[in-house]
Structure formats: C-alpha cells, structure tokens
C-alpha cells in the first residue's frame, strides 16, 4: 500500500510529537511510531528540562555549563541557540497544558550535576510522562495529523534502495519517505513525503544495562547510515551513574534498568560504597554533582576496587516528607522492590543512558540528505560535544523540533517538489522465519560484547575484540535479513548490530580520552587539543 503525505514524521517522543504539532499549522502529517504512541525515552524522563527561568540565572551561565560538560567539543553557536531559544520553547509546552511543579507562584527549579544554578523545570519526578501527555493530547486534536501506531520504519526511501536511481557513491542523495512495516498485519507500506523527519530517539538497547526502554534500538541512526547520511561522534555514549540495582532480579527490570534521577543527587543524595564509605571527594571537588562521566567512572572504579556489584545512594539524612514530596515515583518503585528510600540506602549501578552523537544536522535540523530532517536524541547537533549536561536533552529535542518546522515551512514555500516513481517493497524469494530464539540470542551477544568492550572504560584491545565479534554478527545478520520476510525483531537486530559497528568505528578513530570516551591507552587531552568530530559515512552498499 502507498500513502502520500506532505511530511512523514518517524517517532512519537518529544521531538516527533512537537515537530508534528507545529507542522500541522501548514501541512498534512503522517506520524509513525513503532509501539503505542506514548512509548519513548521521553516518557521515562524524570529529572526535567533545563532552561534559564530564574531571574538570577543567565544565558551565559547555561552556555558555559554546557560547554564545560562537553569537554571542548561543543559547537558554541549551536549551544547558544539552544539556550537562548529555551524559554520560548518552554512557553510553548506550557501553552499546550504541560504542568511543571511550582513552589508558590514560581517554578520549583531543581539542580543537577554540572549546573551552576538551579534551572531544571520538572513535574515531580515524572517530567517526561507529563510532556508526552500534553503533546499527545494536542496532536489528537489535529485533524491533519494521522498517527500510525505499531508501524516500524524499515528504511528511508532514497536513491540507495531504488535500483534505477542507485548511485555508486552516495552524494546529493534525496529522501522521499520510508518503507514502514505495519506490525499488526506484517504488510510493508510505502509512505511518500515531500519532507521526512527522523525523530527515532536513542540506542541504549545496544548495551546489556540501560535505562532506555525496549524501543531504543537505534533504528534512526542505522537507517540514516544505510542511506549514506553523515553520522558523528558516536563514541560518546553517556552512562548514567545511578540506575537501580535490580536486587530482587524482578522481571520488569530485566529489559531496562529503573533510573534513580540525578535530581536525587541534586537534592543532596550521597554516594557510598557497600562498606559505607563516601568516595566522590576522591574524584572531583564537585563530588556527587560532578558531570556524569566523572561520577560514572568513579563508581565503576569503586566497584572494580572492592569487587562489589553496586554502590549505595543515601538520602536518609533528608526527611521522609521531603523525599516523598519530591520523588513520589522513585519512592514507590523502590518500595515495590523492598527498598524504603526514606530509611534504606538505594543500591545503584551505572547504565547506558544517552547517545551524544548521531545523525549530523545543521542549525536548521537538516541532515546531509536532501529532504531528510532530524531532531532529538538521534541527532548530532553539536550541543552536547563529548558529554551531555543533565536535562539538556529534552531542551535540545524541543528546540531542534521547532527548527525542523521552520526549515520545512521555508522549503515548502520555495520548492517545487518532483518525486520519482518509488519501487514497491520487494520480498520475492524470501521465506518466513520462525526461529526467533536465534535472534534473541544474537541480541544478547551484542549487548554483552558492547558492555564488556565498548563500555565506560575502553582500550585498543577491547575495541579490537569488539570489532571481530560485531563484524561476524553483522555478516550473519545481513545474510539472514536478505533471505527472510521482514519482521519486527529482525529489523531491530539489524539496527542494533549496525549501531554497534558505528560506535566501535567511531571509538577507534578517537585516539585520546575525552568526555565520555575513556580509553586506558590514551590520556585525557586538554580541550584545545581535541581531535574534532568523528564522522562515519557509508560509501557503498
Ligand atoms: P524518544 O522519546 O525516544 O522517542 C523516539 C520515538 O521513536 C519513540 O516513539 C519510538 O517508538 C519511535 N521509534 C524508534 N524507532 C522507530 C522506527 N524504526 N519506526 C517507528 N518509530 C520508531 N533527558 C532530559 O533532558 N531530562 C531528563 O530528565 C531525562 N531523563 C531521562 C530518563 C530516562 C529513564 C531516559 C531513558 C532518558 C532520559 N533523558 C532525559 C533523555 C531524554 O528522555 C531523551 O533523550 C529524549 O526524550 C529523546 O526524545 P526523542 O523524541 O528524541 O526520542
Ligand atoms: C535524570 O533524571 O537523572 C536524567 C536527566 C537526564 O538524563 O538529563
């Protein structure tokens, strides 16, 4: 089946929903999302969204904090744009009914690691869910937005998968939409659009331990890579220092770890070893509120030193009322696991959390492919550099979603679109695949390999091992993919292994330690000596 629309948006997190909402002001939108529309990383965001709201705060301070966390690799112009546009975009969220927690008449601004001021707007500890709620309610009221749930994008429509238009070397590529699998009936749709927006979020599921839900299989990075788009700085994977250690081995946390928000440390939470020793003063003068890369490495080091499985986060010096008032969700979830955070120490471990790199976009959210725009976690905008500052992700997604809208609007005003004949999905000669257990096992292998060799601490030897293992899996997966009728799990497996490959290749290019990329073989270089962005681009099929 073929669907024609003005704009195809892929993804229903903050980036996709906000883009769709804005674009509906001037064009028709089809939004596809691979599960139900609220399932996204956004929906799990806890701490909040950073912006300069306090009269004592300044844009310069927020810019400076972002640049410091980014360890010399941020694009200052992009950072300034994000920070300055922040308050207007926050107002957009408020205007559609997002309710941020207040203290009296003012917003209750929280503090998190790396921030010199309290500037995090939040809705208790369920900020992402509140933003999703407001955005979904708004798009449901728009008659020119069609939402297709359980619809997973397989590949972008560009010259690379149109036989007659195929080019030997990827250049001046155009994007005209995407092939989408309707999971409910296993039919592949061809959605043709004048503009396509990639808003597919992150890739935490590449790793064994992650805060990201099951949807975060890096589909957007992999699709853009296959289509020949530029992908940058993928070595910078952020590991959140404090995810809940699954003491009871509860099934609900087998696929992703429950986050204990950084706001808990901002609120005064202290880290201790299993023996009860405080340790952050040994690593950084900002102690628990140092940027995440420093805190995660410190915990990793303490775990290795003591042979422990977790460290503790301690809130017991705070009153029970304060704790429950600020963190009702964290309190309830921990209680369900037998930990009363008002009295007990919380067992925590680092987990893969966020991809700082991604599909390279300019200030207008344009990728290197004509007609393909991107926003949110799937992108590399330059605002995070080598390490993202806490709560800058939701802000970046919002600001760049708005940029997408402005760019597409401008392009619609000045472009006469001419879209060539697009081939139907061709699965002739393929067979149905019923040994899903092999796919599950291969995914486990990928996750373990990436955790062991491409995790918080890396080395040339570890990256070499990862290269060999992931290359084998990639060849096997590609063979399987080519002879199999497409289905959800194989799409995700293919994307997970592709993302692993890109992360490893990017890590190998960076012959230094910087921000989130720490290699035992290279020293941390000073910001001025930084190796610039690592760019990976597929040159042939
Ligand atoms: P997402 O919200 O992940 O949305 C991606 C969407 O794309 C989903 O709907 C998904 O189903 C869909 N999708 C993916 N692949 C396909 C495909 N092939 N076809 C169709 N649809 C597809 N950041 C902050 O700034 N502050 C916080 O407090 C904060 N807390 C966090 C807490 C947790 C537990 C996690 C995991 C992240 C947190 N982050 C936080 C990071 C932030 O939530 C994400 O970076 C941000 O929400 C990403 O938004 P997005 O719209 O780009 O992607
Ligand atoms: C958190 O609440 O700790 C997550 C914040 C973020 O990822 O920015």
């Amino acid at each position: 089946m073929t669907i024609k629309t003005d704009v195809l948006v892929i993804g229903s997190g903050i980036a996709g929903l906000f883009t769709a909402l804005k674009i509906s002001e001037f064009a028709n939108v089809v939004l596809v999302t691979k599960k139900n529309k609220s399932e996204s990383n956004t929906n799990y965001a806890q701490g909040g969204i950073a912006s300069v709201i306090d009269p004592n705060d300044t844009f310069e301070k927020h810019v400076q904090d972002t640049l410091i966390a980014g360890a010399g690799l941020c694009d200052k112009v992009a950072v300034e744009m994000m920070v300055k546009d922040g308050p207007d975009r926050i107002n957009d969220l408020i205007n559609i009914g997002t309710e941020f927690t207040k203290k009296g008449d003012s917003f209750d601004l929280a503090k998190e690691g790396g921030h010199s001021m309290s500037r995090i707007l939040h809705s208790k500890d369920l900020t992402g869910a509140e933003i999703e709620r407001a955005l979904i309610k708004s798009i449901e009221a728009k008659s020119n937005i069609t939402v297709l749930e359980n619809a997973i994008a397989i590949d972008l429509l560009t010259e690379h998968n149109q036989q007659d238009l195929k080019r030997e070397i990827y250049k001046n590529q155009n994007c005209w939409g995407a092939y989408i699998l309707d999971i409910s009936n296993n039919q592949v749709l061809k959605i043709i659009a004048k503009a396509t927006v990639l808003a597919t979020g992150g890739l935490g599921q590449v790793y064994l331990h992650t805060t990201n839900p099951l949807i975060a299989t890096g589909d957007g990075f992999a699709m853009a890579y296959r289509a020949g788009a530029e992908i940058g700085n993928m070595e910078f994977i952020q590991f959140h220092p404090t995810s809940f250690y699954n003491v009871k081995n509860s099934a609900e946390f087998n696929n992703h770890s429950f986050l204990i928000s950084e706001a808990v440390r901002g609120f005064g939470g202290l880290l201790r070893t299993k023996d009860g020793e405080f340790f952050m003063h040994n690593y950084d003068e900002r102690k628990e509120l140092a940027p995440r890369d420093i805190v995660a490495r410190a915990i990793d080091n303490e775990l290795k030193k003591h042979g422990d499985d977790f460290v503790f986060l301690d809130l017991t010096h705070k009153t029970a009322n304060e704790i429950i008032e600020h963190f009702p969700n964290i309190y309830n979830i921990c209680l369900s696991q037998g930990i009363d955070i008002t009295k007990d120490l919380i067992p925590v471990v680092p987990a893969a959390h966020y991809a700082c790199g991604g599909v390279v976009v300019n200030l207008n959210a344009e990728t290197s492919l004509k007609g393909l725009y991107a926003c949110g976690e799937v992108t590399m905008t330059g605002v995070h550099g080598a390490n993202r500052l806490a709560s800058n992700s939701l802000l970046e997604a919002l600001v760049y979603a708005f940029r997408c809208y402005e760019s597409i609007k401008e392009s619609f005003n000045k472009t006469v679109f001419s879209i060539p004949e697009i081939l139907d999905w061709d699965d002739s000669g393929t067979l149905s695949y019923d040994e899903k257990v092999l796919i599950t096992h291969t995914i486990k292998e990928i996750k373990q390999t990436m955790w062991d060799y491409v995790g918080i601490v890396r080395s040339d030897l570890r990256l070499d091992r990862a290269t060999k293992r992931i290359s084998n899996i990639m060849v096997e997966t590609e063979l399987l993919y080519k002879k199999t009728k497409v289905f959800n799990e194989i799409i995700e497996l293919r994307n997970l292994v592709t993302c692993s490959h890109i992360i490893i290749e990017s890590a190998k290019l960076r012959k230094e330690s910087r921000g989130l990329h720490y290699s035992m073989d290279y020293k941390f270089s000073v910001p001025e000596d930084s190796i610039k962005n690592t760019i990976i681009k597929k040159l042939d099929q």
Side-chain angles (χ1 to χ4, degrees):
M1 188 170 111
T2 302
I3 297 175
K4 290 192 177 171
T5 185
D6 293 326
V7 181
L8 168 65
V9 175
I10 309 175
S12 60
I14 186 172
L17 292 173
F18 190 58
T19 309
L21 185 64
K22 291 301 301 174
I23 286 182
S24 70
E25 289 172 11
F26 68 89
N28 294 322
V29 180
V30 172
L31 182 149
V32 296
T33 187
K34 71 182 188 183
K35 285 206 171 165
N36 66 60
K37 50 183 171 292
S38 63
E39 189 57 358
S40 56
N41 274 1
T42 302
N43 205 37
Y44 295 84
Q46 295 183 356
I49 179 163
S51 193
V52 176
I53 304 290
D54 182 336
N56 296 317
D57 199 0
T58 63
F59 290 147
E60 289 71 29
K61 285 185 195 165
H62 190 179
V63 168
Q64 206 49 34
D65 292 345
T66 304
L67 297 179
I68 290 171
L73 260 196
C74 296
D75 174 342
K76 193 168 178 215
V77 178
V79 174
E80 284 172 347
M81 179 193 88
M82 174 186 76
V83 166
K84 288 182 182 157
D85 285 3
D88 285 345
R89 300 292 76 79
I90 297 287
N91 270 333
D92 290 342
L93 284 185
I94 293 169
N95 288 339
I96 60 160
T98 311
E99 291 195 17
F100 292 114
T101 302
K102 288 194 154 178
K103 211 181 198 169
D105 288 341
S106 322
F107 289 111
D108 177 33
L109 300 172
K111 194 167 179 186
E112 290 179 351
H115 287 274
S116 57
M117 298 289 294
S118 295
R119 63 167 75 94
I120 321 293
L121 288 130
H122 61 101
S123 302
K124 302 256 182 201
D125 55 354
L126 285 168
T127 311
E130 170 58 12
I131 293 174
E132 280 281 309
R133 182 201 61 74
L135 282 168
I136 286 174
K137 191 167 172 220
S138 307
I139 64 160
E140 280 173 350
K142 300 285 175 188
S143 58
N144 58 347
I145 303 180
T146 305
V147 178
L148 303 178
E149 296 182 299
N150 300 308
I152 179 168
I154 309 169
D155 260 320
L156 297 167
L157 293 171
T158 81
E159 285 89 344
H160 88 290
N161 49 18
Q162 301 300 307
Q163 213 53 41
D164 294 346
L165 307 169
K166 204 155 155 179
R167 298 173 186 184
E168 270 185 23
I169 302 287
Y170 290 94
K171 58 181 177 190
N172 302 324
Q173 293 262 112
N174 295 278
C175 180
W176 303 294
Y179 289 121
I180 309 285
L181 175 71
D182 180 343
I183 298 170
S184 60
N185 61 12
N186 256 8
Q187 294 300 308
V188 177
L189 313 173
K190 184 167 80 174
I191 303 191
I192 298 176
K194 295 174 193 159
T196 302
V197 179
L198 203 54
T200 44
L203 49 64
Q205 287 292 329
V206 160
Y207 286 92
L208 189 61
H209 303 291
T210 178
T211 61
N212 293 191
L214 282 174
I215 51 101
T217 49
D219 301 358
F221 305 87
M223 285 191 286
Y225 173 72
R226 285 194 289 273
E230 285 183 359
I231 317 286
N233 283 356
M234 291 292 283
E235 66 276 30
F236 297 119
I237 302 295
Q238 184 168 72
F239 291 82
H240 197 291
T242 58
S243 77
F244 185 73
Y245 180 78
N246 191 358
V247 241
K248 289 195 342 195
N249 203 12
S250 304
E252 63 187 295
F253 299 131
N254 278 349
N255 293 321
H256 71 111
S257 317
F258 177 64
L259 182 74
I260 307 294
S261 174
E262 181 143 344
V264 171
R265 276 175 287 127
F267 180 67
L270 298 170
L271 288 163
R272 315 172 75 150
T273 62
K274 245 173 148 181
D275 300 336
E277 299 297 323
F278 298 107
F279 56 87
M280 273 316 299
H281 58 280
N282 296 325
Y283 294 90
D284 194 283
E285 60 187 17
R286 290 162 290 184
K287 300 183 199 161
E288 274 76 3
L289 285 182
R292 276 181 198 169
D293 56 329
I294 295 171
V295 184
R297 269 195 304 276
I299 295 177
D300 187 64
N301 195 43
E302 291 297 321
L303 295 179
K304 288 190 173 130
K305 217 162 73 185
H306 298 277
D308 292 339
D309 294 332
F310 55 82
V311 295
F312 283 122
L313 185 57
D314 182 0
L315 264 182
T316 55
H317 51 288
K318 296 280 186 179
T319 66
N321 278 352
E322 279 179 299
I323 295 173
I324 298 168
E325 165 67 19
H326 278 82
F327 307 109
N329 182 47
I330 295 176
Y331 171 76
N332 282 325
I333 301 271
C334 289
L335 202 57
S336 74
Q337 300 302 308
I339 307 280
D340 178 346
I341 67 170
T342 65
K343 300 190 191 109
D344 304 324
L345 306 183
I346 316 168
V348 292
V349 279
H353 183 62
Y354 184 83
C356 291
V359 182
V360 177
V361 292
N362 61 17
L363 294 173
N364 299 319
E366 294 163 326
T367 71
S368 55
L369 307 187
K370 202 157 180 287
L372 180 67
Y373 302 78
C375 50
E377 188 167 341
V378 71
T379 59
M380 188 200 98
T381 59
V383 304
H384 305 312
N387 183 23
R388 170 173 73 86
L389 187 66
S391 289
N392 264 356
S393 165
L394 293 172
L395 178 66
E396 179 207 42
L398 200 59
V399 166
Y400 276 82
F402 192 84
R403 289 280 153 160
C404 262
Y405 145 76
E406 288 186 320
S407 303
I408 293 172
K409 190 171 179 189
E410 197 187 322
S411 105
F412 274 30
N413 285 338
K414 64 178 191 208
T415 313
V416 179
F417 291 94
S418 138
I419 298 182
E421 197 59 40
I422 300 290
L423 299 173
D424 286 337
W425 181 253
D426 180 9
D427 63 358
S428 50
T430 58
L431 296 170
S432 298
Y433 186 73
D434 47 18
E435 275 203 288
K436 289 201 179 158
V437 66
L438 291 186
I439 300 220
T440 324
H441 283 182
T442 311
I443 290 179
K444 277 191 190 148
E445 221 177 313
I446 295 172
K447 284 156 104 54
Q448 190 74 55
T449 302
M450 293 302 286
W451 185 256
D452 289 344
Y453 302 131
V454 203
I456 299 174
V457 176
R458 301 163 180 180
S459 69
D460 285 348
L461 180 70
R462 290 180 188 190
L463 292 179
D464 189 45
R465 284 203 174 173
T467 307
K468 290 186 182 126
R469 283 158 178 68
I470 294 297
S471 303
N472 281 340
I473 298 174
M474 209 161 160
V475 172
E476 280 169 17
T477 305
E478 235 11 69
L479 282 176
L480 184 64
Y481 180 79
K482 288 205 170 104
K483 59 184 193 190
T484 306
K485 283 207 190 315
V486 75
F487 60 100
N488 193 27
E489 290 84 351
I490 200 162
I491 295 172
E492 293 189 338
L493 165 63
R494 187 178 184 225
N495 292 333
L496 286 168
V497 71
T498 303
C499 287
S500 305
H501 164 77
I502 302 172
I503 296 168
I504 296 166
E505 291 309 310
S506 307
K508 289 198 307 202
L509 288 176
R510 188 162 291 284
K511 306 281 182 210
E512 63 172 353
S513 289
R514 171 168 305 279
L516 297 161
H517 173 72
Y518 172 63
S519 166
M520 294 189 288
D521 295 321
Y522 303 99
K523 291 204 175 74
F524 276 101
S525 9
V526 290
E528 304 78 69
D529 292 343
S530 174
I531 295 171
K532 293 297 169 208
N533 299 326
T534 52
I535 303 290
I536 302 274
K537 189 170 184 302
K538 193 169 194 290
L539 289 180
D540 52 27
Q541 281 266 68

